[in-house]
Amino acid sequence: MFKRLKFILFICLFLFGINGAFSQEKVKWGDWQAWGDQNDGTYKNPIIPADYSDLDCIRVGKDYYAVSSTFQYSPGFVILHSQDLVNWSIISHAVNDITKISPEMNWDKMNTYGRGIWAGAIRYHQSKFWIYFGDPDQGYFMTTAPKAEGPWEPVTQVLAAKGWDDGCPFWDNDGQGYFIGTNFADGYKIHLFKMTSDGKKLIKESDKILYQSKGSEANKLLKIKDTYYHFFSEVKDSGRVVMMERSKSIYGPYEGPKQLSYAQKEYNEPNQGGIVQTQNGDWYFLTHHGTGDWSGRNMSLLPVLWIDGWPILGNPDSNQIGSMVWSGKKPVSGKKKIKPQTSDDFNTTKLTQQWEWNYQPRADKWSLTERKGWLRLKAFRPLEENNIVKAGNTITQRSFRTSFNEVIVKLDLQGMTKGQKSGLTHFGSPDYASLGVVYDGVVKKIEYKTKNSVVSGDTILSNNLWLKSIWGLDGISQFYYSTDGSEFIPFGDPYQLMWGSYRGDRIGIYTYNNDSDTGYLDIDYFNYRLEK
């Protein structure tokens, strides 16, 4: 009876603002008119309505760091920074050269759609940041850096094996390092290994299987006081749910597992992320929504309520299982409202952090210095003619799901040669749409292209060309073009942005040449406006 009353008291305190007030409003998935920081001390989920998948999060002092999988995009494994868990900026990537993981991720192979850099974890140990992640075909990798901004060491392979994912390191109070990960190729068995003192190898003879269930993965291992907590997810009849088991010994036996939240398919299954304590003592869960749609797997922040020693995610019910929370008080007040970077005027000598190439780019075929203030993309033959999915050096960034999105790029076409195609694309695999210019050696013409159709348009006489895409919460894009930067002409059918190969839509800029490795495209700016 006493425990029941204690639980009710916890719920009442939680609902009325202690440990982070929140609203239980009902939200239709994807129909969010507001998101992130609301400028009044509160926030609304998703905090980033864009593709930040397979999240993990830590706090170091007053700073928060999150990491997200990037698959075949380069640079790989994006790192974000925040001071309040709500407002995030991109500060670096852990892997500059993804061919060090596999040559199949190079521009001359392009064979890892849906593969590449999967989920991982970030930790802070011995005054350094440590990152571990998996490639489902190559095994586990790690890198370390004194600062999250980098530079990061070249990646080291800690386990060379196929069929593993969702790993996480852990260092105990005595300094011994451990690693937990799932062998999905062997029935989703979760293994615990000791690591060598430098954290660069797993000690295979220390292997112990901790758990196995349908789809058990998304592993995190943490210790609070004298208790070890193993966080993971698994698939039940209702969908993928978050689970946890705990023990006084790292090798067990473990108590539980305890279900921490419901599957909530109506909210695209929030289920993979990191549990983090603020400097104020409150706890939160930074999570992705695991069922992808055209905007990918979006990022949300849920309050955590500890009940009987278990961290319940979101709004707990009488079964002590949590559900989605759509708004609440910001964990840390007074921080400036920011958004991840988008627009770029290309006035630096290094690419800004929002950009990721589709596969490792051909280094000699792009430049920020040959024409100051412009990005130059140099054309070369695609691996498959007229297929942007097999064309190297397409530069991309995430498409947001907000009430209004507008991207405008200004291009200079004077460097194009016969056989070259250049333009703006909504990019995925296997689906895509693009609006650009095709040059046959005599005239340049507007061309709208999707995976299954091509529509030719007007001849372009000017070297200056502006391309635009507009879309909203429904993800239906309309392309436009202009030869003066002010009057825009719609062209091509509206295109439904797509989910594919575990990724949401990307907005990108491309150029390739079906005939030869010649020609170039200059880009003056890329302007991205969110909301109207």
Side-chain angles (χ1 to χ4, degrees), residues 32 34 48 139 156 158 164 244 253 273 325 346 365 367 432 465 495 521 532:
W32 37 76
I48 304 181
T156 297
V158 299
W164 294 75
M244 179 172 277
V325 170
F346 302 111
K365 289 294 186 176
S367 174
Y432 62 90
L465 181 68
Y495 175 73
L521 173 71
K532 194 170 185 177

Side-chain angles (χ1 to χ4, degrees), residues 13-146:
L13 290 174
F14 193 55
L15 290 173
F16 286 99
I18 297 177
N19 199 22
F22 65 89
S23 165
Q24 299 182 66
E25 62 189 291
K26 298 293 184 181
V27 174
K28 181 181 178 182
W29 178 259
D31 189 26
W32 37 76
Q33 301 298 320
W35 57 275
D37 194 333
Q38 298 301 292
N39 271 334
D40 61 0
T42 68
Y43 71 93
K44 287 183 178 293
N45 281 320
I47 54 172
I48 304 181
D51 196 1
Y52 286 95
S53 56
D54 302 317
L55 290 162
D56 188 32
C57 180
I58 60 169
R59 176 175 64 88
V60 180
K62 295 183 179 180
D63 296 287
Y64 299 88
Y65 300 92
V67 292
S68 172
S69 58
T70 49
F71 291 71
Q72 83 281 358
Y73 290 101
S74 180
F77 211 66
V78 65
I79 305 165
L80 301 101
H81 170 259
S82 175
Q83 292 187 318
D84 61 7
L85 283 171
V86 172
N87 295 287
W88 294 88
S89 61
I90 308 169
I91 58 170
S92 64
H93 291 77
V95 189
N96 285 326
D97 184 355
I98 59 174
T99 66
K100 301 302 182 183
I101 299 168
S102 169
E104 299 302 307
M105 288 195 276
N106 201 32
W107 61 268
D108 60 352
K109 295 287 194 299
M110 304 179 76
N111 284 329
T112 61
Y113 283 108
R115 316 294 282 180
I117 295 178
W118 280 14
I122 183 171
R123 292 293 181 265
Y124 189 72
H125 171 64
Q126 293 184 336
S127 301
K128 291 195 297 184
F129 290 89
W130 302 72
I131 277 175
Y132 290 73
F133 60 86
D135 177 302
D137 299 315
Q138 306 300 325
Y140 291 121
F141 295 81
M142 63 78 64
T143 179
T144 187

Side-chain angles (χ1 to χ4, degrees), residues 114-360:
R115 316 294 282 180
I117 295 178
W118 280 14
I122 183 171
R123 292 293 181 265
Y124 189 72
H125 171 64
Q126 293 184 336
S127 301
K128 291 195 297 184
F129 290 89
W130 302 72
I131 277 175
Y132 290 73
F133 60 86
D135 177 302
D137 299 315
Q138 306 300 325
Y140 291 121
F141 295 81
M142 63 78 64
T143 179
T144 187
K147 296 181 179 180
E149 294 84 354
W152 290 86
E153 290 184 357
V155 292
T156 297
Q157 190 173 34
V158 299
L159 177 67
K162 188 174 183 177
W164 294 75
D165 70 357
D166 294 12
C168 178
F170 168 78
W171 285 269
D172 212 337
N173 297 341
D174 61 1
Q176 177 62 55
Y178 296 86
F179 185 86
I180 192 167
T182 291
N183 187 351
F184 67 83
D186 186 26
Y188 286 88
K189 293 175 183 174
I190 297 175
H191 294 247
L192 178 68
F193 299 89
K194 283 185 176 180
M195 294 194 295
T196 55
S197 59
D198 60 4
K200 294 185 176 182
K201 289 293 179 184
L202 306 187
I203 302 174
K204 293 184 179 180
E205 55 268 27
S206 68
D207 181 14
K208 178 179 174 61
I209 296 174
L210 291 189
Y211 189 81
Q212 180 185 18
S213 64
K214 183 179 179 182
S216 50
E217 54 184 11
N219 301 286
K220 301 294 186 298
L221 192 61
L222 59 155
K223 187 178 184 181
I224 302 172
K225 295 183 180 178
D226 63 347
T227 303
Y228 299 88
Y229 291 88
H230 172 212
F231 171 104
F232 61 99
S233 71
E234 67 182 30
V235 178
K236 294 185 179 294
D237 291 343
S238 59
R240 183 168 287 280
V241 302
V242 179
M243 306 290 292
M244 179 172 277
E245 55 181 1
R246 65 189 180 190
S247 174
K248 296 298 183 180
S249 167
I250 194 167
Y251 286 110
Y254 277 83
E255 176 190 357
K258 162 69 177 171
Q259 185 173 335
L260 303 183
S261 69
Y262 290 105
Q264 304 167 94
K265 287 188 175 180
E266 70 275 23
Y267 297 143
N268 282 27
E269 297 181 318
N271 63 54
Q272 183 158 341
I275 298 173
V276 62
Q277 186 179 29
T278 71
Q279 57 267 49
N280 301 323
D282 300 324
W283 289 81
Y284 286 85
F285 177 46
L286 187 74
T287 181
H288 79 187
H289 294 262
T291 304
D293 61 20
W294 69 262
S295 59
R297 289 177 281 181
N298 297 183
M299 182 192 295
S300 283
L301 183 68
L302 305 185
V304 172
L305 180 63
W306 287 84
I307 302 174
D308 294 335
W310 298 104
I312 308 305
L313 311 178
N315 178 23
D317 64 5
S318 59
N319 295 317
Q320 301 183 16
I321 300 175
S323 57
M324 183 64 193
V325 170
W326 284 100
S327 61
K329 183 181 177 181
K330 286 175 59 179
V332 181
S333 62
K335 301 303 179 182
K336 182 181 178 182
K337 181 177 180 179
I338 60 173
K339 301 172 184 176
Q341 305 93 305
T342 52
S343 297
D344 198 348
D345 59 10
F346 302 111
N347 282 327
T348 60
T349 57
K350 293 183 178 180
L351 276 176
T352 48
Q353 293 291 345
Q354 65 266 36
W355 293 110
E356 293 169 356
W357 303 93
N358 184 37
Y359 291 94
Q360 188 68 21

Side-chain angles (χ1 to χ4, degrees), residues 500-513:
S501 300
Y502 295 112
R503 305 306 298 173
D505 179 74
R506 294 280 180 125
I507 186 78
I509 307 167
Y510 68 93
T511 192
Y512 61 86
N513 192 320

